[in-house]
Amino acid sequence: MRHLWHLFNTAMLLNVVLWFLADTTASKWLHGIAAIAFGVAVLATRPKQPPTLH
């Protein structure tokens, strides 16, 4: 599951970069929506955090 998280994280960051580099409005919308979708996938597949000791 950790590898899948890294894949989604990379795809999200790539779409953010492409969003800033896009030249047309349609491209900006598509990359912006894709970045949000991959961001949701990153949150859904993030590795479980180990319990903290109190």
Side-chain angles (χ1 to χ4, degrees):
M1 194 63 134
R2 184 170 288 257
H3 297 294
L4 188 60
W5 181 80
H6 285 295
L7 179 69
F8 285 143
N9 208 0
T10 303
M12 180 191 65
L13 293 175
L14 178 64
N15 270 294
V16 169
V17 169
L18 290 174
W19 179 35
F20 285 115
L21 296 177
D23 55 350
T24 64
T25 304
S27 295
K28 286 185 182 291
W29 273 99
L30 289 174
H31 288 300
I33 291 170
I36 292 169
F38 280 118
V40 170
V42 165
L43 292 175
T45 59
R46 69 178 181 251
K48 296 201 183 308
Q49 299 297 322
T52 58
L53 298 174
H54 293 276

